[in-house]
């Protein structure tokens, strides 16, 4: 009998995907790889496939298919290409758990397909819940699918909730490192370049989330993610800046007691907790040493300077399709910043304009979300000229 958990990693060549493979490499008796997917990095995908011997691989870009096929076919690994194929492959019968680690809106469709196919989900792709949290969580409930959070803050909350099933949450505190520009003012931020924004003090992540961490949009997206994962009202979710990134988040219960989850910042921990749940997988990762940290400190986030966090709360309070609009505008703005087309402070300006101008829909359907994403991207694209 097969007792290993058979895993599909969507986005295996990214920061989360490669760390998930490290976890699997260290625990071959617990996990096996069924499927790997990537967008364009076929060289790394080939290397991963030759090591982990999945049943199938999928590459997003069609033009990379031939090289991939030539490298893997003789090893008995099935090769597919195209966006559609990523959403179809998750239906494979052998898969127990899908790790959704594609970045951005591009991860929505395949995550939805995986839930529809009754696969358990380890969710790194927070944008999925930001865009369509109501649809994703109600479909998961209907299908009896568990969504295990990979995001470190949400994993922390999830870990604090184990054994607390009967006890309502009063509020949660999501911790934020504050990013590379903590304490800086608008004057300073006006001229910062992507090279500085890409230097995160505590975490080594993909470019998009690293910029989101510098603008505090990452924490904004996480507030929305938490709302859907833990069924909370916006006023039950607070953000606290904790520059050492040792406390990963906190739950406060109705008796006033607070539980926090701690550890050194290493994404392999929440990744393996999500993949191994309910088992804690033994590891030899570096342990926290109290003498390395004379103090753990906390401060309020500066939402006047880092307006993205306030915009995310606004989208959550107004509801409807506004978080979907916020997400699309943010993806366009971050990409433009990474291409040196707009300045750092233009990011929140663009998002706010798009949120004001895009069509608001109170009770959106899935099709409405797709249309809103498209409309918001077009508006953001048109606004670009004003911000260069
Ligand atoms: P990354 O950019 O390093 O990797 C993204 C992966 O997605 C790559 O494998 C890429 O090939 C694939 N991909 C990108 N666009 C695609 C497309 N259009 N179609 C198909 N595949 C596509 O990103 P990351 O840092 O690993 O982040 C992945 C997700 O996890 C994001 O949603 C991020 O917010 C979340 N997350 C990441 C971290 C972290 O430490 N990196 C922490 C918490 C949450
Ligand atoms: Mg996080």
């Amino acid at each position: 009998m097969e007792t290993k958990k058979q895993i599909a990693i969507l986005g295996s060549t990214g920061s989360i995907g490669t760390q998930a493979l490290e976890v699997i490499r260290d625990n071959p008796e617990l996990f096996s790889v069924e499927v790997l997917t990537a967008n364009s990095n076929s060289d790394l995908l080939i290397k991963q496939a030759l090591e982990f011997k999945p049943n199938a691989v999928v590459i997003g870009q069609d033009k990379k298919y031939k090289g991939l096929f030539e490298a893997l076919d003789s090893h008995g690994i099935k090769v597919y290409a195209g966006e559609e194929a990523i959403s179809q492959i998750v239906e494979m019968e052998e898969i127990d758990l899908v790790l959704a680690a594609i970045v951005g809106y591009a991860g929505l469709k395949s995550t939805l397909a995986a839930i529809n196919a009754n696969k358990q989900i380890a969710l790194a792709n927070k944008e999925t819940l930001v865009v369509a949290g109501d649809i994703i969580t109600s479909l998961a409930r209907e299908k009896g699918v568990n969504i295990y959070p990979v995001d470190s803050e949400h994993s922390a909350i999830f870990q604090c909730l184990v054994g607390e099933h009967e006890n309502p949450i009063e509020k949660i505190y999501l911790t934020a490192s504050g990013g590379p520009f903590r304490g800086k003012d608008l004057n300073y931020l006006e001229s910062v370049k992507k090279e500085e924004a890409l230097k995160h003090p505590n975490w080594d992540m993909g470019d998009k989330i690293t910029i989101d961490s510098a603008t505090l949009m990452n924490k904004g997206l996480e507030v929305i993610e938490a709302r859907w994962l833990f069924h909370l009202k916006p006023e039950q979710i607070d953000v606290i800046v904790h520059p050492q990134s040792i406390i990963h988040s906190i739950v406060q219960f109705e008796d006033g007691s607070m539980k926090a989850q701690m550890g050194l910042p290493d994404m392999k921990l929440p990744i393996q907790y999500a993949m191994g749940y309910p088992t804690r997988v033994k590891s030899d990762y570096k342990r926290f040493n109290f003498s390395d940290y004379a103090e753990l400190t906390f401060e309020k986030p500066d939402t006047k300077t880092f307006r993205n966090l306030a915009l995310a709360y606004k989208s959550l309070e107004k509801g409807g399709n506004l978080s979907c609009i916020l997400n699309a505008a943010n993806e366009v703005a971050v990409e433009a910043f990474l291409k040196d087309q707009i300045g750092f402070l233009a990011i929140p300006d663009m998002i706010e304009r798009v949120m004001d101008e895009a069509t608001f829909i109170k009770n959106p359907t899935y099709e409405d979300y797709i249309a809103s994403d498209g409309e918001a991207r077009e508006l953001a694209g048109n606004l670009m000229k004003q911000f260069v």
Side-chain angles (χ1 to χ4, degrees):
M1 199 185 88
E2 183 66 81
T3 52
K4 289 183 195 183
K5 229 180 245 182
Q6 312 201 57
I7 300 188
I9 304 182
L10 310 183
S12 67
T13 55
S15 159
I16 293 290
T18 51
Q19 292 181 86
L21 285 172
E22 285 178 48
V23 170
I24 296 174
R25 180 184 293 126
D26 288 345
N27 297 282
E29 69 295 349
L30 296 178
F31 307 114
S32 71
V33 178
E34 275 303 305
V35 170
L36 297 173
T37 84
N39 188 39
S40 63
N41 189 348
S42 52
D43 290 345
L44 182 54
L45 187 58
I46 289 169
K47 213 167 145 240
Q48 293 177 336
L50 291 176
E51 178 183 351
F52 290 95
K53 303 273 184 306
N55 209 322
V57 301
V58 188
I59 188 92
Q61 292 186 356
D62 293 310
K63 62 173 190 245
K64 298 283 176 81
Y65 172 80
K66 193 163 173 278
L68 206 59
F69 180 82
E70 280 164 6
L72 299 180
D73 183 57
S74 60
H75 295 267
I77 298 168
K78 296 186 204 83
V79 178
Y80 304 96
E83 193 198 324
E84 279 300 314
I86 298 179
S87 294
Q88 284 164 1
I89 200 83
V90 296
E91 294 170 9
M92 253 173 58
E93 203 179 313
E94 295 80 4
I95 300 169
D96 299 313
L97 178 108
V98 172
L99 172 61
I102 290 176
V103 59
Y105 176 85
L108 172 66
K109 228 174 137 184
S110 48
T111 307
L112 208 54
I115 299 173
N116 255 318
N118 288 90
K119 306 301 182 189
Q120 302 303 309
I121 307 289
L123 186 73
N125 179 243
K126 64 192 85 183
E127 293 90 346
T128 285
L129 288 176
V130 173
V131 171
D134 53 346
I135 289 178
I136 294 284
T137 49
S138 60
L139 183 69
R141 224 171 299 128
E142 183 191 314
K143 295 271 178 185
V145 162
N146 294 325
I147 300 179
Y148 301 107
V150 168
D151 217 346
S152 59
E153 297 76 4
H154 306 73
S155 174
I157 303 288
F158 182 59
Q159 294 181 51
C160 292
L161 290 175
V162 170
E164 301 284 1
H165 197 68
E166 305 291 319
N167 296 319
I169 298 170
E170 186 167 85
K171 71 185 293 182
I172 64 172
Y173 290 92
L174 297 178
T175 51
S177 70
F181 302 139
R182 182 174 64 91
K184 302 294 189 207
D185 59 16
L186 291 171
N187 206 9
Y188 180 92
L189 294 174
E190 181 74 54
S191 59
V192 294
K193 289 279 168 258
K194 66 170 185 234
E195 289 74 17
E196 298 158 77
L198 285 172
K199 279 191 204 122
H200 195 279
N202 303 339
W203 301 97
D204 185 11
M205 311 177 286
D207 285 358
K208 194 259 178 183
I209 181 174
T210 307
I211 301 302
D212 283 345
S213 300
T215 65
L216 284 202
M217 181 54 96
N218 183 48
K219 214 47 55 177
L221 301 180
E222 290 183 356
V223 168
I224 303 169
E225 181 185 13
R227 180 256 175 273
W228 292 112
L229 281 174
F230 306 113
H231 313 292
L232 300 170
K233 299 193 183 78
E235 58 273 21
Q236 289 177 288
I237 309 169
D238 226 331
V239 170
I240 190 83
V241 174
H242 165 46
Q244 298 82 16
S245 297
I246 296 298
I247 293 184
H248 299 308
S249 279
I250 301 161
V251 180
Q252 178 176 309
F253 294 95
E254 289 185 326
D255 59 355
S257 180
M258 299 161 95
K259 274 166 91 172
Q261 188 264 337
M262 296 173 60
L264 288 175
D266 181 345
M267 280 310 294
K268 290 200 292 302
L269 269 172
I271 290 170
Q272 72 175 37
Y273 191 75
M275 291 192 335
Y277 183 85
T279 306
R280 285 191 184 273
V281 178
K282 197 173 158 91
S283 87
D284 58 2
Y285 308 147
K286 194 164 175 250
R287 275 20 180 188
F288 176 78
N289 183 338
F290 281 90
S291 52
D292 292 341
Y293 291 84
E295 54 182 12
L296 298 180
T297 60
F298 306 93
E299 57 197 66
K300 268 177 113 89
D302 176 0
T303 52
K304 292 219 159 54
T305 307
F306 299 93
R307 290 169 51 232
N308 277 348
L309 180 56
L311 291 171
Y313 268 104
K314 184 180 161 187
S315 80
L316 195 53
E317 272 146 24
K318 207 162 163 211
N321 61 341
L322 205 53
S323 297
C324 169
I325 293 166
L326 165 112
N327 179 71
N330 182 56
E331 287 191 20
V332 174
V334 168
E335 201 184 321
F337 176 73
L338 281 169
K339 289 182 180 153
D340 296 315
Q341 289 168 339
I342 62 169
F344 189 77
L345 293 178
I347 298 174
D349 289 345
M350 263 180 73
I351 297 168
E352 186 168 39
R353 280 282 295 277
V354 175
M355 285 171 72
D356 285 345
E357 290 176 23
T359 315
F360 179 71
I361 305 171
K362 187 73 205 154
N363 293 305
T365 62
Y366 180 63
E367 287 69 31
D368 289 333
Y369 282 126
I370 293 174
S372 296
D373 175 79
E375 185 194 2
R377 279 170 201 273
E378 198 180 326
L379 278 167
N382 293 339
L383 279 171
M384 197 90 79
K385 298 173 211 74
Q386 299 176 28
F387 289 102
V388 284

